Amino acid sequence: MRTSPSGSGVIRDSNGPLPPSAHATDRASAVIVWGVFVLTFFKGFRFPSLWCATHFTFNYSQGFVRRGLIGEIARQIGGNYVYRYNTFVIFSFVLQWTAGILFALAAGRAFRQRTGDWNFRIALLVMCASPGMIFLVSAVGYFDFLGLISVLGLLLWVRKPRREYAIFYLLALLGSALALVHEGLIVMFGPTALFIASCHILRISETRALTGRQRALLGLHLLMAALVVTGTVVVASTPADPMRVKALQAFAEQHTDFFVRNDAFDVFTRTTRQNMFEAVPYFWSDSISRAVALRGEFGFAPSFFFLIYFGFRELRAASSRLVRNRLAYAFLFAAIAPESMNLVAWDWPRWNAMALATTGTCIVCYRLFFPAARQAARSLSFVTIGVLLTGIGLASTTMLFDRYEVQFFPFERQFLFIDNLIEGHFRFRPRS
């Protein structure tokens, strides 16, 4: 394999450009990946829950509270009566589909840079069939998609060489905004942003020799961005005054057209320590909850570890030791970071879904930043295992929130829901 003389970074066969039949095969593989994703989408499709809709009502009308930025922006745009369920449905699907489109754009560009790379295509196939992807579809309405949109947007913006330090100012800005949306987004997606920044720095290092001063400046800018975001997280995590919380809850009940989840307001006064040492241990002490969680983790683990193995396999094949060593640690950190949320909350399928998203984002990021890097050798066993895991993923289920169940082909319940929604003139409210 070699890089094209034009310097475009497009990988071509050592004997010249690949024949048209190879490009047709690539297009067919893309259709297969998209087909698997469509099946997974229908397995997990649902409307946003009232828990998510209640979070949409958090705002600063009664004073500053954590997680109130989105609700306050909505209130400033649409007034106090913007908190309508149908409005939130549109907002939620816009977020989810925007994240999907951004990932498709990034993966599509990586596809074109690696013509004939079946290892990469198999990895994406396993990702799309994973039980984690089912919950990612079902998680519509969660502000987690804002974190995913941020890292994907950052990736697409910085994939081409730009001003060396601009990315760090953007990291500080995005990180601070996400901390005000939900402080947990920094834990879930901060390491992925760090991986993207690491790719940016290493690409600069490989394209030209950096002086000690330039390296120090790059490191100082990265540290500055991290400190700004950390400070915002500390401020955003401060528990709110109980009277302010009661006033905000009364405000939400007055201005919504759906049932407000009262328990959602507990997040304002509950501390991280309470979550770690009271809430999570309580769920683990319940035998039924523990059994469901373990089954869910067992179903998710094969596809997740396969993607991690793929990432390490590609990094190990890289010609640069700097890329192998530094990016390997950053990749692992980004992949498992969302799973650390299991320490403070019981939403384990949600953390699995975000771990799948961050792992896939890092894989695509490496492909975009280092298109000419030596790729791992083609392996029949790797492809075979990937195809088997794809089949297992398509046959798998997982726990969904609010008593929803994963649907399988021909998705009768999903189409029945759509029919009822249309006949009811789009007047729908979930149970919880």
Side-chain angles (χ1 to χ4, degrees):
M1 306 293 288
R2 63 182 175 83
T3 307
S4 62
S6 64
S8 63
V10 178
I11 303 300
R12 302 183 184 276
D13 186 84
S14 57
N15 297 319
L18 293 174
S21 59
H23 294 288
T25 303
D26 281 340
R27 288 194 292 270
S29 67
V31 171
I32 293 173
V33 170
W34 274 107
V36 169
F37 172 76
V38 169
L39 289 174
T40 303
F41 179 85
F42 279 108
K43 289 171 70 175
F45 173 78
R46 60 171 290 188
F47 266 36
S49 67
L50 292 182
W51 174 271
C52 299
T54 301
H55 276 69
F56 183 61
T57 68
F58 296 170
N59 60 73
Y60 303 151
S61 61
Q62 312 303 314
F64 177 82
V65 292
R66 66 170 76 171
R67 308 182 188 181
L69 180 61
I70 295 301
E72 179 62 20
I73 293 175
R75 190 172 72 93
Q76 293 299 325
I77 294 175
N80 289 341
Y81 289 93
V82 72
Y83 308 116
R84 294 293 183 263
Y85 182 75
N86 286 349
T87 301
F88 180 65
V89 167
I90 296 172
F91 172 76
S92 299
F93 279 112
V94 166
L95 287 187
Q96 187 184 64
W97 294 349
T98 298
I101 291 171
L102 290 178
F103 185 85
L105 287 174
R109 285 168 178 163
F111 260 61
R112 292 189 292 273
Q113 289 180 170
R114 287 286 193 175
T115 303
D117 184 359
W118 277 96
N119 291 344
F120 179 54
R121 285 152 176 76
I122 289 295
L124 289 180
L125 198 63
V126 172
M127 178 182 175
C128 288
S130 170
M133 184 62 71
I134 299 174
F135 195 89
L136 193 64
V137 173
S138 179
V140 61
Y142 281 91
F143 292 159
D144 302 350
F145 285 102
L146 283 168
L148 186 55
I149 288 171
S150 296
V151 294
L152 289 170
L154 178 70
L155 169 59
L156 290 170
W157 180 78
V158 80
R159 68 183 181 88
K160 292 184 178 180
R162 297 176 186 269
R163 293 180 62 183
E164 296 175 356
Y165 301 104
I167 182 178
F168 303 109
Y169 297 103
L170 184 58
L171 280 175
L173 179 63
L174 284 176
S176 298
L178 289 178
L180 296 174
V181 172
H182 191 305
E183 63 277 9
L185 295 180
I186 304 304
V187 177
M188 288 188 278
F189 298 101
T192 304
L194 179 63
F195 181 85
I196 296 172
S198 299
C199 287
H200 172 72
I201 293 173
L202 288 175
R203 183 174 59 182
I204 294 174
S205 302
E206 292 199 334
T207 53
R208 62 183 177 84
L210 294 177
T211 64
R213 179 176 178 275
Q214 290 172 323
R215 293 179 184 275
L217 280 175
L218 286 170
L220 185 62
H221 276 76
L222 183 59
L223 177 62
M224 175 274 300
L227 290 176
V228 170
V229 174
T230 301
T232 308
V233 170
V234 172
V235 172
S237 301
T238 304
D241 177 67
M243 296 303 296
R244 181 180 301 171
V245 175
K246 289 182 179 179
L248 180 59
Q249 182 175 342
F251 176 89
E253 292 172 347
Q254 178 183 356
H255 295 97
T256 57
D257 67 343
F258 55 84
F259 175 76
V260 174
R261 288 279 300 267
N262 296 332
D263 54 338
F265 290 87
D266 293 341
V267 300
F268 294 120
T269 54
R270 189 186 304 132
T271 65
T272 302
R273 178 181 176 82
Q274 288 176 310
N275 287 333
M276 290 183 65
F277 296 104
E278 296 178 19
V280 173
Y282 167 78
F283 282 108
W284 277 110
S285 66
D286 179 70
S287 58
I288 297 178
S289 298
R290 185 170 60 248
V292 172
L294 292 175
R295 285 198 302 269
E297 294 298 331
F298 182 78
F300 170 71
S303 58
F304 182 53
F305 287 120
F306 181 85
L307 291 175
I308 291 179
Y309 170 71
F310 168 78
F312 273 105
R313 192 169 181 266
E314 293 298 311
L315 289 171
R316 188 172 65 245
S319 58
S320 170
R321 180 177 297 180
L322 193 64
V323 171
R324 285 201 305 267
N325 294 342
R326 295 190 180 181
L327 285 188
Y329 291 112
F331 170 68
L332 183 61
F333 184 34
I336 66 174
E339 295 292 343
S340 68
M341 293 293 291
N342 281 298
L343 297 174
V344 296
W346 187 249
D347 296 351
W348 54 265
R350 179 181 167 193
W351 316 139
N352 289 346
M354 297 308 141
L356 184 77
T358 57
T359 304
T361 300
C362 289
I363 289 173
V364 172
C365 174
Y366 174 70
R367 279 285 189 261
L368 290 177
F369 271 83
F370 305 101
R374 186 171 58 197
Q375 66 187 57
R378 296 181 181 180
S379 169
L380 179 60
S381 60
F382 180 88
V383 173
T384 302
I385 294 173
V387 171
L388 289 175
L389 288 180
T390 300
I392 292 173
L394 288 174
S396 298
T397 185
T398 187
M399 186 192 82
L400 303 181
F401 291 161
D402 309 318
R403 299 187 296 278
Y404 278 82
E405 295 180 357
V406 174
Q407 301 299 299
F408 291 89
F409 184 82
F411 311 113
E412 294 178 358
R413 182 175 175 181
Q414 306 289 28
F415 289 111
L416 178 62
F417 167 75
I418 294 174
D419 287 340
N420 292 335
L421 183 64
I422 295 174
E423 292 175 1
H425 305 288
F426 299 96
R427 174 73 185 182
F428 168 79
R429 299 293 179 270
R431 293 171 293 181
S432 56

